[in-house]
Each structure stands twice: as C-alpha cells, then as structure tokens.
Amino acid sequence: MGASLSNLTEGTNGTAMGPGLGDIPESCVACVFTYLTPPEICNLARLNRAFRGAASSDSVWEKKLPSNYQDLLELMPPERYKNLSKKDIFALLSHAIPFDDGNKEVWLDRVTGRVCMAISAKGMAITGIDDRRYWNWVSTEESRFHVVAYLQQIWWFEVDGVVKFPLPADVYTLSFRLHLGKFSKRLGRRVSSFEHTHGWHLKPVTFELSTSDGQLTSCEHYLDDTEQDYENGNHKRGCWIDYKVGEFIVGHSEPATEVRFSMKQIACTHSKGGLCVDSVFIIPTDIRERKRRGILK
C-alpha cells in the first residue's frame, strides 16, 4: 500500500508530478480518519507529516472513545492519565483495567473502541469453594486472571455472580468460560486429566442472566456429550469452551447496569466433577461473533 501511495507524489523517475498526498491539509485528513478504525489510522500515520499530525489529533480520537470513557479512567489513579492526549488515553484504556480487588477487568476493544469486561472465578460466589474436598484453586497462564477454580466432586453445583457498571449503550453477550478436565504441562506439552470428570452428561447445566432493568434470559447446556460424540471423539473435553448465556441491551450508561448471572446443576441424584471454571465475559455481541469466526483478532 505504501509503495502505491508514494506513486501519487512522485513520477516514474522520482520527479514531482504536482499535488499529492503530502499536500492534503491535516484538517481534511483528520476528517477522513474519523471514519477509520484505530489500527488503520496508526498504519496511515506512517505516510507523511500531515497524516502523522492528523493521527494524533484529539478530535479524531475523541470519536473513538466511548461516551463514558471517564468512568473507566476513574478506576485508575489520576496520575496515570493526567495530561494525556486522547490518543494516549485510548491506548491506555485498550489494556485491561482491574477493579473490585482485581477480580474484574474492563477494557476497550482495540478495533472498535467498545467496552468489554471479564469477571474472574474469584469474583463469583461458588458453593463449597472453601472446602478442599470439593474445590481447589489452580494457578495457570491459560487464564487472564492466572487462576481458575477446579471442581473435584460435588452434588450441589452452583456458581453465582453480579457486576454493576456504567456500560455504554450497546448489545452485549454474556458467556462462561469452562474446561472439562484438569490440565497441566508434562515434558513441555499440555496434557489433560479426566480422572474426576463425570456426571455432566446425565443432566444439563442451567445458565441464567438478569439485569436491573428487568431483562432475563436462560438456557441449558450439556457440558459432556459423551454419547453424542462417541463416534467422532469427545471434542468438549480438554478444551476451553465459551458457553453463551444470552444477550442484553443497554440503552444508557446512567444509571449503571447491574447484571446477575449464574450456572447451576442442583439435581442431587448424582455427583459431578472434573470441571474448571475460569471467568465470565461480557462483550458487545457483534465483536464476540467476529472473534469467534476469526475475523477480529
């Protein structure tokens, strides 16, 4: 792209051909940049001085920030963002910002500038979590929070959580990130153990979410389709899977939206175990779908 654009400003022998990209006023470039994504702006900033100047303009990056970006900044000490340009604020907010004792994180998607959130297993209420006969905390680099809750065996399985935050107007999807089996590294290779994995194929797990403005949705998933996948191998075991609970709509960032979510399998007719609970994600719906299809990285 850079080579083809340079041809607009030079002749075949390097001689000038008249007005080119370098002659476009910076203010005009800035107007065009408001319609581009942050990665596109950063790439074009390398072309010439006018493009670099426009790519640093507060007027451009103000439009890339969510309307309530100040709410995200307030989660950090003022000295971290004081006197920063809007471009630097966007860069700062595109990294995870922890809150609620580090058990929750919020950040801006680097392509769209929209708000995403994650809640750690440590930020949820898990039945029996303090009894090591049932649950253990496992440290791992496979979690953005570096720890997951591992269930060995239990009869009453229930995980509940709540988050209250001034999410900007959007349509969001909430999902649980789960893993059947306990994983580890052996001789540099990732291996999974299913010693405790049982009971998830007998009855489905019920997932629910509700919001402070009355939205409610629920669904059921079998976490272990052993019989169904018998012929082709069970692809759910040993893999991290995002279980979509449902979608909810936020109309305004104020008042703050409270979201409650849960997963449970409380039929005490059988025990179940061998499950890792990592986190819950709240992500704008179309971003989640694009990431799932591999369109956005």
Side-chain angles (χ1 to χ4, degrees):
M1 179 179 178
S4 60
L5 287 173
S6 65
N7 291 335
L8 296 175
T9 59
E10 297 182 353
T12 55
N13 296 319
T15 58
M17 294 180 62
L21 286 177
D23 300 302
I24 302 176
E26 184 177 308
S27 58
C28 293
V29 178
C31 288
V32 174
F33 279 3
T34 60
Y35 295 95
L36 303 181
T37 66
E40 291 170 339
I41 294 171
C42 293
N43 285 332
L44 290 172
R46 296 178 291 180
L47 288 177
N48 57 47
R49 183 178 299 175
F51 279 53
R52 283 196 299 274
S56 299
S57 171
D58 277 355
S59 63
V60 170
W61 290 96
E62 182 82 38
K63 297 182 183 301
K64 305 304 173 186
L65 291 165
S67 58
N68 66 330
Y69 71 91
Q70 288 289 347
D71 291 324
L72 278 69
L73 290 176
E74 290 175 1
L75 296 173
M76 298 182 286
E79 57 268 20
R80 287 194 61 188
Y81 57 85
K82 187 177 181 181
N83 299 325
L84 289 182
S85 67
K86 293 297 190 293
K87 178 182 178 181
D88 290 336
I89 287 176
F90 184 95
L92 179 66
L93 297 181
S94 65
H95 293 84
I97 306 166
F99 65 104
D100 281 3
D101 298 324
N103 293 325
K104 298 170 185 174
E105 293 181 348
V106 64
W107 68 94
L108 298 186
D109 178 75
R110 296 182 182 183
V111 175
T112 65
R114 289 152 72 190
V115 174
C116 305
M117 184 179 295
I119 299 98
S120 167
K122 279 188 171 288
M124 306 179 208
I126 302 177
T127 300
I129 191 63
D130 295 324
D131 193 327
R132 292 180 63 85
R133 293 176 299 172
Y134 307 128
W135 290 90
N136 288 301
W137 292 109
V138 178
S139 299
T140 175
E141 293 301 314
E142 295 191 12
S143 168
R144 66 182 300 121
F145 295 97
H146 306 295
V147 66
V148 299
Y150 177 67
L151 172 65
Q152 297 185 106
Q153 178 173 311
I154 206 166
W155 291 77
W156 184 287
F157 173 76
E158 185 169 9
V159 179
D160 298 279
V162 60
V163 62
K164 188 173 184 180
F165 195 82
L167 292 166
D170 213 325
V171 180
Y172 296 88
T173 292
L174 185 145
S175 59
F176 276 84
R177 186 171 187 255
L178 309 175
H179 183 286
L180 273 181
K182 188 175 183 179
F183 52 87
S184 60
K185 281 192 175 181
R186 186 178 302 162
L187 300 177
R189 298 182 59 186
R190 185 185 190 275
V191 294
S192 296
S193 167
F194 307 108
E195 175 187 359
H196 303 119
T197 305
H198 68 284
W200 302 109
H201 66 289
L202 297 176
K203 290 187 178 181
V205 171
T206 300
F207 296 83
E208 294 182 348
L209 80 82
S210 62
T211 64
S212 49
D213 62 356
Q215 299 177 71
L216 176 66
T217 185
S218 65
C219 62
E220 292 185 337
H221 293 289
Y222 282 92
L223 303 189
D224 196 11
D225 297 334
T226 306
E227 296 180 2
Q228 179 179 333
D229 294 341
Y230 179 76
E231 293 183 359
N232 299 318
N234 191 331
H235 301 295
K236 287 187 176 181
R237 291 193 172 196
C239 302
W240 285 108
I241 297 179
D242 290 336
Y243 287 90
K244 177 180 176 181
V245 180
E247 300 175 359
F248 62 95
I249 300 171
V250 175
H252 304 279
S253 59
E254 294 295 341
T257 302
E258 182 178 274
V259 183
R260 294 184 174 275
F261 47 88
S262 67
M263 58 179 293
K264 59 186 69 175
Q265 213 280 48
I266 56 178
C268 293
T269 56
H270 65 282
S271 65
K272 38 264 177 187
L275 177 73
C276 290
V277 179
D278 176 23
S279 52
V280 161
F281 285 88
I282 298 176
I283 295 178
T285 297
D286 59 335
I287 293 179
R288 179 183 183 273
E289 291 304 310
R290 291 176 183 176
K291 286 183 181 293
R292 186 178 61 83
R293 297 196 301 268
I295 299 175
L296 287 178
K297 300 299 182 183

